[in-house]
Structure formats: C-alpha cells, structure tokens
Amino acid sequence: MRVLGIAGSPRREGNSEILLDRFLEGARSKGASAIKVVACEKKIFPCLGCGCCHAGPCPLKDEMGEILDLLRQCEVVAIAAPVYFSGLPAPLKTLIDRCQPLWVEKYLQGRVRPERKGYFFNTGARNSPDTFIGSLETAKALFFTLDLAWSGKLLAPGLDGKGEILSRPSLLEQAEKMGSNFDF
Ligand SMILES: Cc1cc2nc3c(=O)[nH]c(=O)nc-3n(C[C@H](O)[C@H](O)[C@H](O)COP(=O)(O)O)c2cc1C
C-alpha cells in the first residue's frame, strides 16, 4: 500500500505538518510505504489555463510531473495544511491547480480509476464555525477529481503558534489512529 502525504504549509514542522507526520507514522506502523511531499519545497509553476493538457502534455517544465505520477499511483493521499485567508496556502493551491491533467484524464478522456482513500488535515487560528469552509470546499473538489473517497478529516481550530498542536495530544493520537486504521 502506497501512501502519499502532501504537506501544504510554508512553515516547516508546523501544526499541520506535525499532524501529517503522525498520520504517516501510523501508516508506516502497518507496513505501508509512505512518502511525504512538501509543496513549498517543490518547483511548481502556476497553471496557465492554456488548455494544452486537454490535447497533450503540459508546457510547464518543473517538478509537477513526478507529483502527478505519485497522485496517480498512491492508494491513499493525505493532505495537510493551515487555513490562509479562509483558503489554502499558495504553494499547495498551486499544486492543486496543476492537477488539471488529472481532471482531463477523468472528464475528457473518460479514464476510470479505482477509488482510493483521501484524508484532509486542516489547522487554523480562528475558532469560528466558518474557519474551514473555504479550504474544505477546495479539498473536496480535488478529492472528487482524483477519485479519492472522503475517508477522514481532522479540523483543528484555535492553533496559531508553531508546534502549538503538541499541546493537544488527542489530535495527534487521532491522526496516528487514522493512519494505522487501514487493512493493508
Ligand atoms: C498568511 C496567513 C493567513 C492566515 N489566515 C488564516 C485564516 O484565514 N483563518 C484562520 O483561522 N487562521 C489563519 N491563519 C493562521 C494559521 O492557519 C494557523 O497559524 C495554523 O495553525 C498554521 O499551521 P502551520 O503551523 O501548519 O502552518 C493564517 C496564517 C497566515 C500566516
């Protein structure tokens, strides 16, 4: 079983990445092969909306090709990110927009993919009912396009300082449990 974790925060080892690491540790403890991609460390140019991927390869030459291959191959995809201005941070959103070739495969080429599992971890400073609305909608749209069944989410409000999540051990346990709960 291949598990891909995408760390979406530009702040390394922050709250959302700590949750993702716990999830991946849980998966590894069950024998999964888990890979972590850190969005802000990858060279990914923004989608040009040129439509080239509708008929052929994307003209942008960067590291997105290998990420698309991982997204095609992995049976489990987990995305972790903070809320930024009610949405997702730019490096992760850029990666998501560049998933348009996968949209083309599904909707224009009719390629059928087996359903996989998708997990979403989201941290935010605010403690309000609408903190996660924007980021959740984007994650749902991505998971739908990638045929990732919405298998679990962890929304952690009221967290701002780097590593503050370490003082919420129940969230860390939940993340690890989600990762170790598969029947591999
Ligand atoms: C540019 C920026 C925008 C932010 N926007 C929001 C926001 O709209 N709502 C919110 O609840 N928190 C917001 N935050 C706070 C982060 O979501 C919060 O600190 C989160 O726990 C950081 O997670 P990380 O350590 O994984 O980066 C913002 C932080 C930054 C730096």
Side-chain angles (χ1 to χ4, degrees):
M1 174 77 68
R2 287 155 301 180
V3 178
L4 172 64
I6 299 180
S9 180
R11 175 161 76 173
R12 293 301 318 272
E13 292 161 26
N15 298 318
S16 54
E17 192 171 345
I18 290 171
L19 277 180
L20 181 67
D21 286 341
R22 291 297 288 259
F23 177 86
L24 296 176
E25 275 168 33
R28 286 192 190 103
S29 76
K30 287 294 186 76
S33 120
I35 303 167
K36 182 165 79 170
V37 165
V38 179
C40 69
E41 292 190 346
K42 293 289 177 187
K43 183 173 153 193
I44 306 174
F45 299 122
C47 176
L48 298 171
C50 61
C52 290
C53 61
H54 292 201
C58 175
L60 296 172
K61 300 294 167 238
D62 56 17
E63 295 182 277
M64 193 58 205
E66 62 205 57
I67 297 172
L68 288 174
D69 282 340
L70 287 171
L71 285 167
R72 288 184 186 99
Q73 292 156 9
C74 285
E75 285 88 9
V76 177
V77 177
I79 295 189
V83 177
Y84 271 17
F85 284 89
S86 299
L88 292 171
L92 176 62
K93 185 58 167 56
T94 303
L95 184 156
I96 290 172
D97 292 350
R98 289 287 305 285
C99 287
Q100 186 68 355
L102 302 179
W103 181 94
V104 169
E105 287 171 11
K106 177 172 177 155
Y107 290 105
L108 301 187
Q109 300 172 352
R111 199 167 302 177
V112 179
R113 268 187 288 264
E115 192 169 89
R116 291 98 42 79
K117 287 177 187 288
Y119 291 83
F120 185 55
F121 300 92
N122 209 191
T123 58
R126 291 176 65 222
N127 214 335
S128 121
D130 58 5
T131 299
F132 300 104
I133 289 176
S135 45
L136 269 173
E137 283 306 308
T138 303
K140 280 184 201 162
L142 177 73
F143 284 18
F144 195 74
T145 297
L146 270 55
D147 298 302
L148 297 169
W150 190 259
S151 305
K153 67 174 187 296
L154 227 168
L155 307 178
L159 291 170
D160 207 11
K162 182 173 173 177
E164 207 178 320
I165 199 155
L166 293 170
S167 64
R168 310 257 292 267
S170 70
L171 288 173
L172 305 177
E173 279 161 28
Q174 277 181 63
E176 187 158 349
K177 208 176 244 176
M178 283 159 97
S180 60
N181 250 353
F182 302 121
D183 293 325
F184 290 118

